[in-house]
Amino acid sequence: MVGLKPSEVPPTTAVKFLGAGTAACFADLLTFPLDTAKVRLQIQGENQAARSTQYRGVLGTILTMVRTEGPRSPYKGLVAGLQRQMSFASVRIGLYDSVKQFYAPKGSDRTLPNITRNAIINCAEMVTYDIIKEKLLDCHLLTDNFPCHFISAFGAGFCATVVASPVDVVKTRYMNSPPGQYRSPFDCMLKMVTQEGPTAFYKGFTPSFLRLGAWNVVMFVTYEQLKRALMKVQMLRESPF
């Protein structure tokens, strides 16, 4: 066995909230430069200002940024990112189990059709992680510990990247474009297809996958261990001996 064993008592909502937010912040700290590199590659060639600096590959992009903009440049916007994770991730990840139980109570359909249909992002990350983990445990391929969490998180990161990349590229292009270049996100999407072809939707896929894959692995593994550690602490505090 690797890591802490599952607690005999289910984690409380407070433990899930705190564990999810902390784990997400830790994952952001480790993977933030990859996200910055992804954005730079996605908008490369978009306008004249962006053409002044050429980026090649993930590592090349980060090194170029450090050389031209300073060593702190890959972490631009980190504070806002951590604030977002502590508020947003703690809710969407911390509440996932409760929402899952509401839509799929014990004894009902375990494939979570309602959540899968209605939450695309959670489908790509939370639901995919949950499904892979359940299958590994149900088929007795792995136990509920680090190797199972790692494989489930890696698969969730890959699925999230494939699903989210087109939307992410359009969002990045639209938000970083000068006023008047695009009438709407849909107009941005059409121009990308006609001018650059469908492969434009997957610009920066490698750093996106490295970012999401690493982020999911760090976040889920840390989250699982934090939940168990926090429950052990809570049980020790409540123990009369």
Side-chain angles (χ1 to χ4, degrees):
M1 292 289 188
V2 182
L4 297 173
K5 294 181 179 180
S7 172
E8 294 180 359
V9 180
T12 63
T13 302
V15 166
K16 292 176 184 177
F17 264 61
L18 180 60
T22 305
C25 286
F26 184 61
D28 243 29
L29 281 171
L30 295 182
T31 62
F32 203 81
L34 295 172
D35 192 53
T36 306
K38 175 206 71 174
V39 173
R40 295 297 179 96
L41 287 169
Q42 285 178 344
I43 64 175
Q44 182 164 253
E46 175 69 0
N47 51 57
Q48 196 61 41
R51 293 190 187 105
S52 59
T53 303
Q54 290 295 316
Y55 300 112
R56 292 175 181 247
V58 183
L59 182 60
T61 300
I62 295 174
L63 291 176
T64 300
M65 289 179 62
V66 171
R67 187 178 66 252
T68 59
E69 304 173 42
R72 295 184 181 180
S73 57
Y75 281 94
K76 283 182 178 178
L78 175 63
V79 174
L82 294 179
Q83 291 174 343
R84 175 180 178 273
Q85 294 299 348
M86 202 63 204
S87 57
F88 176 61
S90 61
V91 173
R92 79 176 179 95
I93 298 170
L95 283 181
Y96 174 76
D97 286 334
S98 300
V99 174
K100 181 180 74 172
Q101 290 168 11
F102 176 79
Y103 281 105
K106 190 173 182 180
S108 67
D109 183 9
R110 296 178 67 196
T111 59
L112 315 172
N114 291 314
I115 298 177
T116 303
R117 263 197 319 269
N118 299 321
I120 297 175
I121 298 301
N122 277 351
C123 174
E125 289 183 354
M126 292 299 301
V127 176
T128 304
Y129 175 82
D130 195 37
I131 290 173
I132 295 174
K133 180 181 172 183
E134 279 191 1
K135 294 300 180 184
L136 290 173
L137 295 177
D138 289 346
C139 296
H140 304 289
L141 298 175
L142 293 170
T143 57
D144 189 5
N145 227 308
F146 175 80
C148 177
H149 305 158
F150 182 92
I151 293 172
S152 302
F154 190 83
F158 179 78
C159 292
T161 308
V162 172
V163 171
S165 278
V167 178
D168 191 37
V169 174
V170 171
K171 180 203 73 172
T172 302
R173 289 284 188 96
Y174 185 70
M175 291 178 63
N176 287 274
S177 63
Q181 183 171 354
Y182 302 117
R183 294 190 301 273
S184 65
F186 185 71
D187 179 54
C188 177
M189 181 188 71
L190 289 178
K191 287 183 177 177
M192 283 177 61
V193 171
T194 55
Q195 296 173 8
E196 304 173 54
T199 56
F201 292 115
Y202 285 93
K203 276 193 172 182
F205 182 84
T206 299
S208 291
F209 174 58
L210 291 175
R211 154 74 165 174
L212 269 178
W215 192 93
N216 274 273
V217 168
V218 174
M219 194 283 296
F220 279 115
V221 169
T222 305
Y223 178 48
E224 296 277 9
Q225 293 302 307
L226 274 174
K227 282 193 299 183
R228 296 173 184 186
L230 290 171
M231 284 307 298
K232 283 184 179 294
V233 171
Q234 182 172 318
M235 290 171 66
L236 286 173
R237 290 179 62 183
E238 294 175 354
S239 175
F241 302 102

